[in-house]
Amino acid sequence: MPNSELRIVVLSGPICSGKSELAQLFSERHDAVTVKTRDLILELKPRVKQERASLQRAGEALDRADGGKWVSSALARIIEARRVNGDVRLFVLDSARILQQVESLREAFGVSVFHVHLTAKSEVLETRYGSRGGKTRELPSYADVRRSKTERAIEDLARVADVVVET
């Protein structure tokens, strides 16, 4: 489905590295459509509780089931629906969590994909996590977040990113 007019910015990075804030800036400044993998998980698994641990487990189960292709499949459906109803050219995926998700997106959309990996020092991430709000019930500490296999390996995505940004 590569299209020379289509652009997809794929964001990756640890929780609290600034992905959602960057996605919001793309939306405000460039009329980008933001697609959150959290919302995709809830769409595909509507019974999942809106809490960090449950969302992490559900995402990991989806990844195991098809090697991470669920993200590119869901994004393709959203892009088709949006492009039929308007001239949307920029989509931001917040966020890819494993290498196979990025590979699947590149396979599906080719040169339309630009991968940005955000990172920050552990102390900064911990501080940001401590002041986090939102609709998701969070784990007690950032150390608890990092117990997830996916979250422990998230910095591996920096190696395949088009650009890495220290936030």
Side-chain angles (χ1 to χ4, degrees), residues 21-108:
E21 191 171 328
L22 181 57
Q24 183 177 343
L25 288 171
F26 272 110
S27 179
E28 291 170 2
R29 294 183 183 175
H30 303 289
D31 293 324
V33 172
T34 299
V35 177
K36 295 182 170 283
T37 52
R38 172 193 180 286
D39 295 338
L40 299 178
I41 291 168
L42 292 170
E43 178 184 309
L44 293 169
K45 294 190 169 270
R47 293 188 176 148
V48 170
K49 295 178 185 173
Q50 291 199 37
E51 56 186 31
R52 175 73 47 210
S54 296
L55 289 164
Q56 285 176 326
R57 283 191 303 273
E60 289 169 355
L62 288 166
D63 289 334
R64 280 191 305 276
D66 72 357
K69 292 181 181 172
W70 63 276
V71 174
S72 61
S73 297
L75 183 58
R77 287 191 304 275
I78 291 167
I79 288 171
E80 282 307 309
R82 288 301 191 108
R83 289 176 61 101
V84 165
N85 297 324
D87 189 27
V88 179
R89 296 180 184 189
L90 179 61
F91 292 82
V92 177
L93 178 70
D94 178 8
S95 71
R97 307 303 297 159
I98 63 171
L99 177 61
Q100 292 86 348
Q101 289 176 358
V102 175
E103 289 171 341
S104 178
L105 289 160
R106 289 195 186 278
E107 184 177 309

Side-chain angles (χ1 to χ4, degrees), residues 97-99 117 146 148-159:
R97 307 303 297 159
I98 63 171
L99 177 61
H117 184 81
R146 299 286 297 174
S148 157
K149 176 183 172 188
T150 300
E151 194 62 27
R152 283 191 317 268
I154 196 70
E155 289 294 357
D156 293 346
L157 293 179
R159 292 177 305 159

